[in-house]
Amino acid sequence: QVQLAESGGGLVQPGGSLRLSCAASGSVFSINTMGWFRQDPGKERELVARITSGISTIYADSVKGRFTISRDKAKNTVYLQMSSLKPEDTAVYYCNAEVAASRGPLMDYWGKGTLVTVSS
């Protein structure tokens, strides 16, 4: 019974900023990687950013220099700070985490998604 709860999506003007949050709750024993994906209608879901249990990160080329991923292990929470937003960033953003529940193996969990709309 692991759930990922996203928040922070909404409407923002081009050049603006948003900060997404995702908290894991339920039967969480440990979390390995956490990350963010996004998807627009007619497009394949793509990785936006990912962070390991440490501080190693990976970003999509399209967001490098504009987005920053971070995490708070004590709160089982991952953040995505987005700046210099472009209309092309408009998408449903999904939180993803590799979670071990009840001392079991790591499993892939997904949030329900939060819509980010960048428009003037």
Short mmCIF file of all heavy atoms in Angstrom, two decimals, residues 14-83:
data_model
loop_
_atom_site.label_atom_id
_atom_site.label_comp_id
_atom_site.label_asym_id
_atom_site.label_seq_id
_atom_site.Cartn_x
_atom_site.Cartn_y
_atom_site.Cartn_z
N PRO A 14 4.87 31.74 -19.61
CA PRO A 14 6.22 31.46 -20.08
C PRO A 14 7.25 32.29 -19.34
O PRO A 14 7.04 33.48 -19.10
CB PRO A 14 6.17 31.83 -21.56
CG PRO A 14 4.74 31.63 -21.94
CD PRO A 14 3.96 32.06 -20.72
N GLY A 15 8.34 31.65 -18.96
CA GLY A 15 9.37 32.32 -18.19
C GLY A 15 9.17 32.23 -16.69
O GLY A 15 10.08 32.59 -15.92
N GLY A 16 8.03 31.74 -16.28
CA GLY A 16 7.73 31.62 -14.87
C GLY A 16 8.30 30.37 -14.25
O GLY A 16 9.02 29.61 -14.88
N SER A 17 7.95 30.17 -12.98
CA SER A 17 8.48 29.05 -12.23
C SER A 17 7.38 28.29 -11.50
O SER A 17 6.35 28.86 -11.14
CB SER A 17 9.51 29.53 -11.19
OG SER A 17 10.60 30.18 -11.81
N LEU A 18 7.62 27.02 -11.29
CA LEU A 18 6.76 26.17 -10.49
C LEU A 18 7.63 25.18 -9.74
O LEU A 18 8.71 24.82 -10.20
CB LEU A 18 5.76 25.39 -11.36
CG LEU A 18 4.51 26.11 -11.87
CD1 LEU A 18 3.73 25.17 -12.78
CD2 LEU A 18 3.64 26.58 -10.72
N ARG A 19 7.13 24.73 -8.61
CA ARG A 19 7.83 23.71 -7.83
C ARG A 19 6.87 22.57 -7.55
O ARG A 19 5.87 22.75 -6.86
CB ARG A 19 8.36 24.29 -6.52
CG ARG A 19 9.25 23.34 -5.71
CD ARG A 19 9.89 24.08 -4.56
NE ARG A 19 10.88 23.29 -3.85
CZ ARG A 19 10.71 22.81 -2.62
NH1 ARG A 19 9.59 23.06 -1.95
NH2 ARG A 19 11.69 22.11 -2.04
N LEU A 20 7.19 21.41 -8.08
CA LEU A 20 6.38 20.22 -7.87
C LEU A 20 6.91 19.44 -6.68
O LEU A 20 8.12 19.38 -6.45
CB LEU A 20 6.39 19.33 -9.11
CG LEU A 20 5.97 19.95 -10.44
CD1 LEU A 20 5.98 18.89 -11.54
CD2 LEU A 20 4.60 20.60 -10.32
N SER A 21 6.00 18.82 -5.95
CA SER A 21 6.36 17.98 -4.83
C SER A 21 5.69 16.64 -4.97
O SER A 21 4.60 16.53 -5.52
CB SER A 21 5.94 18.62 -3.50
OG SER A 21 6.57 19.86 -3.29
N CYS A 22 6.34 15.61 -4.46
CA CYS A 22 5.77 14.27 -4.47
C CYS A 22 6.20 13.55 -3.20
O CYS A 22 7.40 13.37 -2.97
CB CYS A 22 6.24 13.49 -5.70
SG CYS A 22 5.75 11.75 -5.72
N ALA A 23 5.24 13.15 -2.41
CA ALA A 23 5.51 12.46 -1.16
C ALA A 23 5.02 11.02 -1.22
O ALA A 23 3.88 10.77 -1.62
CB ALA A 23 4.85 13.19 0.00
N ALA A 24 5.87 10.10 -0.84
CA ALA A 24 5.50 8.70 -0.76
C ALA A 24 4.97 8.39 0.63
O ALA A 24 5.53 8.83 1.63
CB ALA A 24 6.70 7.81 -1.07
N SER A 25 3.89 7.65 0.68
CA SER A 25 3.30 7.28 1.95
C SER A 25 2.80 5.84 1.90
O SER A 25 2.77 5.22 0.84
CB SER A 25 2.15 8.22 2.32
OG SER A 25 1.10 8.14 1.36
N GLY A 26 2.40 5.32 3.05
CA GLY A 26 1.93 3.95 3.14
C GLY A 26 3.01 3.05 3.70
O GLY A 26 3.78 3.45 4.56
N SER A 27 3.03 1.83 3.21
CA SER A 27 3.97 0.83 3.71
C SER A 27 5.35 0.97 3.06
O SER A 27 5.83 0.08 2.36
CB SER A 27 3.41 -0.57 3.47
OG SER A 27 2.15 -0.74 4.08
N VAL A 28 5.97 2.10 3.31
CA VAL A 28 7.28 2.38 2.74
C VAL A 28 8.38 1.93 3.69
O VAL A 28 8.46 2.41 4.82
CB VAL A 28 7.45 3.88 2.44
CG1 VAL A 28 8.84 4.15 1.89
CG2 VAL A 28 6.38 4.34 1.46
N PHE A 29 9.21 1.02 3.22
CA PHE A 29 10.35 0.58 3.99
C PHE A 29 11.60 1.36 3.58
O PHE A 29 12.34 1.85 4.43
CB PHE A 29 10.59 -0.92 3.84
CG PHE A 29 11.83 -1.41 4.54
CD1 PHE A 29 11.87 -1.49 5.92
CD2 PHE A 29 12.96 -1.78 3.83
CE1 PHE A 29 13.00 -1.93 6.59
CE2 PHE A 29 14.10 -2.22 4.48
CZ PHE A 29 14.12 -2.30 5.86
N SER A 30 11.81 1.47 2.29
CA SER A 30 12.94 2.22 1.78
C SER A 30 12.64 2.65 0.35
O SER A 30 11.81 2.07 -0.32
CB SER A 30 14.23 1.41 1.84
OG SER A 30 14.16 0.28 0.99
N ILE A 31 13.33 3.68 -0.08
CA ILE A 31 13.17 4.20 -1.42
C ILE A 31 14.53 4.33 -2.07
O ILE A 31 15.47 4.88 -1.48
CB ILE A 31 12.47 5.58 -1.42
CG1 ILE A 31 11.11 5.49 -0.74
CG2 ILE A 31 12.33 6.10 -2.85
CD1 ILE A 31 10.38 6.81 -0.65
N ASN A 32 14.64 3.82 -3.28
CA ASN A 32 15.88 3.95 -4.03
C ASN A 32 15.83 5.25 -4.84
O ASN A 32 16.02 6.33 -4.29
CB ASN A 32 16.09 2.73 -4.92
CG ASN A 32 17.47 2.72 -5.55
OD1 ASN A 32 18.40 3.36 -5.06
ND2 ASN A 32 17.61 2.01 -6.66
N THR A 33 15.55 5.15 -6.11
CA THR A 33 15.49 6.35 -6.94
C THR A 33 14.09 6.97 -6.92
O THR A 33 13.10 6.29 -6.69
CB THR A 33 15.87 6.06 -8.40
OG1 THR A 33 14.95 5.12 -8.95
CG2 THR A 33 17.27 5.49 -8.48
N MET A 34 14.04 8.26 -7.15
CA MET A 34 12.80 8.98 -7.33
C MET A 34 12.97 9.88 -8.54
O MET A 34 14.08 10.32 -8.83
CB MET A 34 12.43 9.82 -6.10
CG MET A 34 12.28 9.02 -4.82
SD MET A 34 11.63 10.01 -3.43
CE MET A 34 9.87 10.00 -3.80
N GLY A 35 11.89 10.13 -9.23
CA GLY A 35 12.02 10.95 -10.42
C GLY A 35 10.71 11.49 -10.93
O GLY A 35 9.64 11.26 -10.35
N TRP A 36 10.81 12.22 -12.02
CA TRP A 36 9.67 12.82 -12.67
C TRP A 36 9.66 12.49 -14.14
O TRP A 36 10.70 12.57 -14.81
CB TRP A 36 9.69 14.35 -12.50
CG TRP A 36 9.52 14.80 -11.09
CD1 TRP A 36 10.49 15.05 -10.18
CD2 TRP A 36 8.27 15.06 -10.43
NE1 TRP A 36 9.94 15.45 -8.99
CE2 TRP A 36 8.58 15.47 -9.11
CE3 TRP A 36 6.93 14.99 -10.83
CZ2 TRP A 36 7.59 15.80 -8.20
CZ3 TRP A 36 5.95 15.32 -9.91
CH2 TRP A 36 6.29 15.72 -8.62
N PHE A 37 8.49 12.13 -14.64
CA PHE A 37 8.24 11.91 -16.05
C PHE A 37 7.15 12.87 -16.50
O PHE A 37 6.43 13.42 -15.68
CB PHE A 37 7.80 10.47 -16.32
CG PHE A 37 8.89 9.45 -16.15
CD1 PHE A 37 9.37 9.12 -14.89
CD2 PHE A 37 9.43 8.80 -17.25
CE1 PHE A 37 10.37 8.17 -14.71
CE2 PHE A 37 10.43 7.83 -17.08
CZ PHE A 37 10.90 7.53 -15.82
N ARG A 38 7.03 13.06 -17.80
CA ARG A 38 5.95 13.88 -18.31
C ARG A 38 5.44 13.30 -19.62
O ARG A 38 6.16 12.59 -20.32
CB ARG A 38 6.38 15.34 -18.49
CG ARG A 38 7.42 15.57 -19.58
CD ARG A 38 7.86 17.02 -19.58
NE ARG A 38 8.82 17.31 -20.63
CZ ARG A 38 9.46 18.46 -20.77
NH1 ARG A 38 9.23 19.45 -19.91
NH2 ARG A 38 10.32 18.64 -21.77
N GLN A 39 4.20 13.65 -19.94
CA GLN A 39 3.58 13.12 -21.14
C GLN A 39 2.53 14.07 -21.68
O GLN A 39 1.70 14.58 -20.93
CB GLN A 39 2.94 11.76 -20.86
CG GLN A 39 2.40 11.05 -22.09
CD GLN A 39 1.97 9.63 -21.79
OE1 GLN A 39 1.63 9.30 -20.65
NE2 GLN A 39 1.98 8.78 -22.80
N ASP A 40 2.59 14.32 -22.96
CA ASP A 40 1.58 15.08 -23.68
C ASP A 40 0.79 14.12 -24.55
O ASP A 40 1.29 13.07 -24.95
CB ASP A 40 2.22 16.14 -24.57
CG ASP A 40 2.37 17.49 -23.89
OD1 ASP A 40 1.64 17.75 -22.91
OD2 ASP A 40 3.20 18.28 -24.34
N PRO A 41 -0.47 14.45 -24.87
CA PRO A 41 -1.26 13.59 -25.75
C PRO A 41 -0.55 13.34 -27.08
O PRO A 41 -0.04 14.27 -27.70
CB PRO A 41 -2.56 14.38 -25.95
CG PRO A 41 -2.67 15.21 -24.72
CD PRO A 41 -1.25 15.60 -24.40
N GLY A 42 -0.51 12.10 -27.48
CA GLY A 42 0.13 11.75 -28.73
C GLY A 42 1.63 11.59 -28.65
O GLY A 42 2.28 11.29 -29.66
N LYS A 43 2.18 11.81 -27.47
CA LYS A 43 3.62 11.67 -27.28
C LYS A 43 3.92 10.59 -26.26
O LYS A 43 3.10 10.27 -25.40
CB LYS A 43 4.23 13.00 -26.82
CG LYS A 43 4.08 14.14 -27.81
CD LYS A 43 4.61 15.44 -27.25
CE LYS A 43 6.10 15.36 -26.96
NZ LYS A 43 6.63 16.66 -26.44
N GLU A 44 5.10 10.03 -26.37
CA GLU A 44 5.53 9.00 -25.43
C GLU A 44 5.96 9.64 -24.12
O GLU A 44 6.53 10.72 -24.10
CB GLU A 44 6.67 8.19 -26.05
CG GLU A 44 7.12 7.01 -25.21
CD GLU A 44 8.17 6.17 -25.91
OE1 GLU A 44 8.32 6.31 -27.14
OE2 GLU A 44 8.84 5.38 -25.24
N ARG A 45 5.67 8.96 -23.03
CA ARG A 45 6.10 9.45 -21.73
C ARG A 45 7.62 9.49 -21.69
O ARG A 45 8.30 8.54 -22.08
CB ARG A 45 5.56 8.56 -20.62
CG ARG A 45 5.86 9.05 -19.22
CD ARG A 45 5.17 8.20 -18.15
NE ARG A 45 3.72 8.25 -18.27
CZ ARG A 45 2.89 7.70 -17.40
NH1 ARG A 45 3.36 7.07 -16.33
NH2 ARG A 45 1.58 7.78 -17.60
N GLU A 46 8.16 10.59 -21.21
CA GLU A 46 9.60 10.77 -21.19
C GLU A 46 10.11 11.11 -19.79
O GLU A 46 9.41 11.74 -18.99
CB GLU A 46 10.02 11.87 -22.17
CG GLU A 46 9.51 13.25 -21.81
CD GLU A 46 10.06 14.34 -22.71
OE1 GLU A 46 10.99 14.07 -23.48
OE2 GLU A 46 9.54 15.47 -22.65
N LEU A 47 11.32 10.70 -19.54
CA LEU A 47 11.97 11.03 -18.28
C LEU A 47 12.36 12.50 -18.27
O LEU A 47 12.97 12.99 -19.22
CB LEU A 47 13.22 10.17 -18.08
CG LEU A 47 14.11 10.53 -16.88
CD1 LEU A 47 13.39 10.22 -15.57
CD2 LEU A 47 15.43 9.78 -16.96
N VAL A 48 12.01 13.19 -17.21
CA VAL A 48 12.38 14.59 -17.03
C VAL A 48 13.62 14.69 -16.16
O VAL A 48 14.60 15.35 -16.52
CB VAL A 48 11.24 15.41 -16.41
CG1 VAL A 48 11.67 16.85 -16.19
CG2 VAL A 48 10.00 15.36 -17.30
N ALA A 49 13.57 14.07 -15.01
CA ALA A 49 14.69 14.10 -14.08
C ALA A 49 14.58 12.94 -13.11
O ALA A 49 13.49 12.48 -12.79
CB ALA A 49 14.73 15.42 -13.31
N ARG A 50 15.73 12.49 -12.63
CA ARG A 50 15.76 11.39 -11.68
C ARG A 50 16.90 11.63 -10.69
O ARG A 50 17.95 12.15 -11.05
CB ARG A 50 15.94 10.06 -12.40
CG ARG A 50 16.08 8.84 -11.50
CD ARG A 50 16.16 7.57 -12.33
NE ARG A 50 14.84 7.21 -12.85
CZ ARG A 50 14.66 6.48 -13.96
NH1 ARG A 50 15.70 6.08 -14.67
NH2 ARG A 50 13.43 6.17 -14.33
N ILE A 51 16.68 11.22 -9.45
CA ILE A 51 17.69 11.35 -8.42
C ILE A 51 17.80 10.04 -7.66
O ILE A 51 16.80 9.39 -7.38
CB ILE A 51 17.37 12.53 -7.46
CG1 ILE A 51 18.52 12.76 -6.48
CG2 ILE A 51 16.05 12.30 -6.73
CD1 ILE A 51 18.39 14.08 -5.71
N THR A 52 19.02 9.65 -7.35
CA THR A 52 19.27 8.40 -6.64
C THR A 52 19.07 8.59 -5.14
O THR A 52 18.70 9.67 -4.67
CB THR A 52 20.68 7.88 -6.91
OG1 THR A 52 21.64 8.77 -6.31
CG2 THR A 52 20.95 7.78 -8.40
N SER A 53 19.36 7.53 -4.40
CA SER A 53 19.29 7.62 -2.95
C SER A 53 20.32 8.61 -2.42
O SER A 53 20.16 9.15 -1.32
CB SER A 53 19.51 6.24 -2.32
OG SER A 53 19.43 6.30 -0.91
N GLY A 54 21.36 8.83 -3.21
CA GLY A 54 22.37 9.81 -2.85
C GLY A 54 22.05 11.15 -3.47
O GLY A 54 20.95 11.68 -3.32
N ILE A 55 23.00 11.70 -4.20
CA ILE A 55 22.80 12.99 -4.83
C ILE A 55 22.99 12.95 -6.33
O ILE A 55 22.93 13.99 -6.99
CB ILE A 55 23.74 14.05 -4.23
CG1 ILE A 55 25.21 13.67 -4.45
CG2 ILE A 55 23.44 14.25 -2.75
CD1 ILE A 55 26.19 14.74 -4.05
N SER A 56 23.22 11.78 -6.88
CA SER A 56 23.40 11.65 -8.32
C SER A 56 22.09 11.95 -9.03
O SER A 56 21.03 11.47 -8.65
CB SER A 56 23.87 10.24 -8.67
OG SER A 56 24.06 10.11 -10.06
N THR A 57 22.18 12.76 -10.08
CA THR A 57 20.98 13.16 -10.82
C THR A 57 21.17 12.97 -12.31
O THR A 57 22.29 12.93 -12.82
CB THR A 57 20.62 14.63 -10.55
OG1 THR A 57 21.73 15.46 -10.94
CG2 THR A 57 20.32 14.86 -9.08
N ILE A 58 20.06 12.88 -13.01
CA ILE A 58 20.06 12.83 -14.46
C ILE A 58 18.89 13.67 -14.95
O ILE A 58 17.81 13.66 -14.35
CB ILE A 58 19.96 11.38 -14.98
CG1 ILE A 58 20.10 11.35 -16.50
CG2 ILE A 58 18.66 10.72 -14.55
CD1 ILE A 58 20.25 9.94 -17.07
N TYR A 59 19.12 14.41 -16.02
CA TYR A 59 18.10 15.29 -16.58
C TYR A 59 17.95 15.06 -18.07
O TYR A 59 18.91 14.72 -18.76
CB TYR A 59 18.46 16.76 -16.37
CG TYR A 59 18.50 17.21 -14.93
CD1 TYR A 59 19.68 17.17 -14.19
CD2 TYR A 59 17.36 17.71 -14.31
CE1 TYR A 59 19.72 17.59 -12.88
CE2 TYR A 59 17.39 18.14 -12.99
CZ TYR A 59 18.58 18.08 -12.28
OH TYR A 59 18.61 18.51 -10.98
N ALA A 60 16.75 15.27 -18.55
CA ALA A 60 16.53 15.30 -19.99
C ALA A 60 17.25 16.52 -20.55
O ALA A 60 17.32 17.57 -19.91
CB ALA A 60 15.05 15.37 -20.31
N ASP A 61 17.78 16.38 -21.75
CA ASP A 61 18.50 17.49 -22.36
C ASP A 61 17.64 18.75 -22.46
O ASP A 61 18.14 19.87 -22.34
CB ASP A 61 19.01 17.10 -23.75
CG ASP A 61 20.15 16.10 -23.70
OD1 ASP A 61 20.80 15.98 -22.64
OD2 ASP A 61 20.39 15.45 -24.73
N SER A 62 16.35 18.56 -22.67
CA SER A 62 15.46 19.68 -22.86
C SER A 62 15.23 20.53 -21.61
O SER A 62 14.74 21.66 -21.71
CB SER A 62 14.10 19.19 -23.38
OG SER A 62 13.51 18.29 -22.47
N VAL A 63 15.59 20.01 -20.44
CA VAL A 63 15.35 20.74 -19.20
C VAL A 63 16.62 21.09 -18.45
O VAL A 63 16.56 21.78 -17.42
CB VAL A 63 14.39 19.98 -18.26
CG1 VAL A 63 13.11 19.61 -18.99
CG2 VAL A 63 15.07 18.74 -17.69
N LYS A 64 17.76 20.64 -18.93
CA LYS A 64 19.02 20.93 -18.26
C LYS A 64 19.24 22.43 -18.14
O LYS A 64 19.05 23.18 -19.09
CB LYS A 64 20.19 20.29 -19.01
CG LYS A 64 20.28 18.79 -18.86
CD LYS A 64 21.48 18.23 -19.61
CE LYS A 64 21.59 16.73 -19.42
NZ LYS A 64 22.74 16.16 -20.19
N GLY A 65 19.64 22.85 -16.96
CA GLY A 65 19.88 24.26 -16.71
C GLY A 65 18.64 25.02 -16.29
O GLY A 65 18.75 26.18 -15.85
N ARG A 66 17.47 24.40 -16.40
CA ARG A 66 16.22 25.06 -16.04
C ARG A 66 15.51 24.37 -14.88
O ARG A 66 14.86 25.03 -14.07
CB ARG A 66 15.28 25.13 -17.23
CG ARG A 66 15.84 25.89 -18.42
CD ARG A 66 14.79 26.10 -19.50
NE ARG A 66 14.31 24.84 -20.05
CZ ARG A 66 13.05 24.41 -20.00
NH1 ARG A 66 12.13 25.16 -19.41
NH2 ARG A 66 12.71 23.26 -20.55
N PHE A 67 15.61 23.06 -14.82
CA PHE A 67 14.95 22.28 -13.77
C PHE A 67 15.97 21.74 -12.78
O PHE A 67 17.11 21.42 -13.16
CB PHE A 67 14.18 21.09 -14.36
CG PHE A 67 12.98 21.45 -15.20
CD1 PHE A 67 12.72 22.76 -15.57
CD2 PHE A 67 12.11 20.46 -15.61
CE1 PHE A 67 11.62 23.08 -16.34
CE2 PHE A 67 11.00 20.76 -16.37
CZ PHE A 67 10.76 22.07 -16.75
N THR A 68 15.56 21.61 -11.54
CA THR A 68 16.41 21.03 -10.51
C THR A 68 15.60 20.04 -9.69
O THR A 68 14.53 20.37 -9.19
CB THR A 68 16.98 22.11 -9.58
OG1 THR A 68 17.75 23.05 -10.32
CG2 THR A 68 17.89 21.47 -8.52
N ILE A 69 16.12 18.83 -9.58
CA ILE A 69 15.47 17.81 -8.77
C ILE A 69 16.20 17.67 -7.45
O ILE A 69 17.43 17.76 -7.39
CB ILE A 69 15.40 16.46 -9.52
CG1 ILE A 69 14.52 15.47 -8.75
CG2 ILE A 69 16.79 15.88 -9.75
CD1 ILE A 69 14.20 14.20 -9.54
N SER A 70 15.45 17.46 -6.39
CA SER A 70 16.03 17.27 -5.06
C SER A 70 15.11 16.37 -4.25
O SER A 70 13.98 16.08 -4.67
CB SER A 70 16.24 18.61 -4.35
OG SER A 70 15.00 19.29 -4.17
N ARG A 71 15.57 15.93 -3.10
CA ARG A 71 14.74 15.07 -2.27
C ARG A 71 15.02 15.29 -0.80
O ARG A 71 16.10 15.71 -0.40
CB ARG A 71 14.95 13.59 -2.65
CG ARG A 71 16.34 13.04 -2.31
CD ARG A 71 16.54 11.64 -2.90
NE ARG A 71 15.67 10.64 -2.28
CZ ARG A 71 15.60 9.37 -2.67
NH1 ARG A 71 16.33 8.95 -3.69
NH2 ARG A 71 14.78 8.52 -2.04
N ASP A 72 14.02 14.96 -0.01
CA ASP A 72 14.11 14.99 1.44
C ASP A 72 13.83 13.57 1.90
O ASP A 72 12.68 13.13 1.92
CB ASP A 72 13.10 15.98 2.03
CG ASP A 72 13.24 16.14 3.53
OD1 ASP A 72 13.68 15.20 4.21
OD2 ASP A 72 12.91 17.23 4.04
N LYS A 73 14.88 12.85 2.26
CA LYS A 73 14.72 11.45 2.63
C LYS A 73 13.85 11.26 3.87
O LYS A 73 13.09 10.30 3.96
CB LYS A 73 16.09 10.81 2.84
CG LYS A 73 16.91 10.65 1.57
CD LYS A 73 18.20 9.89 1.84
CE LYS A 73 18.97 9.65 0.56
NZ LYS A 73 20.22 8.88 0.82
N ALA A 74 13.98 12.16 4.82
CA ALA A 74 13.21 12.05 6.05
C ALA A 74 11.71 12.14 5.79
O ALA A 74 10.90 11.57 6.52
CB ALA A 74 13.64 13.11 7.05
N LYS A 75 11.33 12.88 4.75
CA LYS A 75 9.93 13.07 4.41
C LYS A 75 9.48 12.20 3.24
O LYS A 75 8.34 12.30 2.81
CB LYS A 75 9.66 14.53 4.10
CG LYS A 75 9.90 15.48 5.26
CD LYS A 75 9.60 16.92 4.86
CE LYS A 75 9.82 17.87 6.02
NZ LYS A 75 9.54 19.28 5.64
N ASN A 76 10.39 11.36 2.73
CA ASN A 76 10.08 10.53 1.56
C ASN A 76 9.51 11.37 0.43
O ASN A 76 8.54 10.99 -0.23
CB ASN A 76 9.11 9.41 1.93
CG ASN A 76 9.73 8.36 2.82
OD1 ASN A 76 10.95 8.12 2.76
ND2 ASN A 76 8.92 7.69 3.62
N THR A 77 10.12 12.50 0.21
CA THR A 77 9.60 13.48 -0.74
C THR A 77 10.65 13.87 -1.77
O THR A 77 11.82 14.04 -1.45
CB THR A 77 9.11 14.74 0.00
OG1 THR A 77 8.07 14.38 0.92
CG2 THR A 77 8.56 15.76 -0.98
N VAL A 78 10.20 14.02 -3.01
CA VAL A 78 11.05 14.49 -4.09
C VAL A 78 10.44 15.77 -4.64
O VAL A 78 9.21 15.93 -4.66
CB VAL A 78 11.21 13.43 -5.20
CG1 VAL A 78 9.87 13.13 -5.88
CG2 VAL A 78 12.24 13.88 -6.23
N TYR A 79 11.29 16.68 -5.06
CA TYR A 79 10.85 17.96 -5.58
C TYR A 79 11.40 18.17 -6.98
O TYR A 79 12.45 17.66 -7.35
CB TYR A 79 11.34 19.11 -4.70
CG TYR A 79 10.98 18.98 -3.24
CD1 TYR A 79 11.86 18.39 -2.34
CD2 TYR A 79 9.76 19.44 -2.76
CE1 TYR A 79 11.53 18.26 -1.00
CE2 TYR A 79 9.42 19.31 -1.42
CZ TYR A 79 10.32 18.73 -0.55
OH TYR A 79 9.99 18.60 0.78
N LEU A 80 10.67 18.94 -7.75
CA LEU A 80 11.15 19.36 -9.06
C LEU A 80 10.93 20.86 -9.16
O LEU A 80 9.80 21.33 -9.28
CB LEU A 80 10.41 18.65 -10.19
CG LEU A 80 10.92 18.97 -11.60
CD1 LEU A 80 12.34 18.42 -11.79
CD2 LEU A 80 9.98 18.39 -12.67
N GLN A 81 12.01 21.61 -9.07
CA GLN A 81 11.95 23.05 -9.19
C GLN A 81 12.14 23.42 -10.66
O GLN A 81 13.17 23.11 -11.25
CB GLN A 81 13.03 23.70 -8.32
CG GLN A 81 12.97 25.21 -8.28
CD GLN A 81 13.91 25.78 -7.24
OE1 GLN A 81 13.57 25.84 -6.07
NE2 GLN A 81 15.09 26.18 -7.68
N MET A 82 11.14 24.06 -11.23
CA MET A 82 11.14 24.38 -12.65
C MET A 82 11.18 25.89 -12.83
O MET A 82 10.38 26.62 -12.24
CB MET A 82 9.90 23.80 -13.33
CG MET A 82 9.72 22.30 -13.13
SD MET A 82 8.25 21.65 -13.98
CE MET A 82 6.95 22.44 -13.02
N SER A 83 12.09 26.35 -13.64
CA SER A 83 12.21 27.77 -13.93
C SER A 83 12.34 27.97 -15.43
O SER A 83 12.57 27.02 -16.18
CB SER A 83 13.41 28.39 -13.20
OG SER A 83 14.62 27.79 -13.62
#
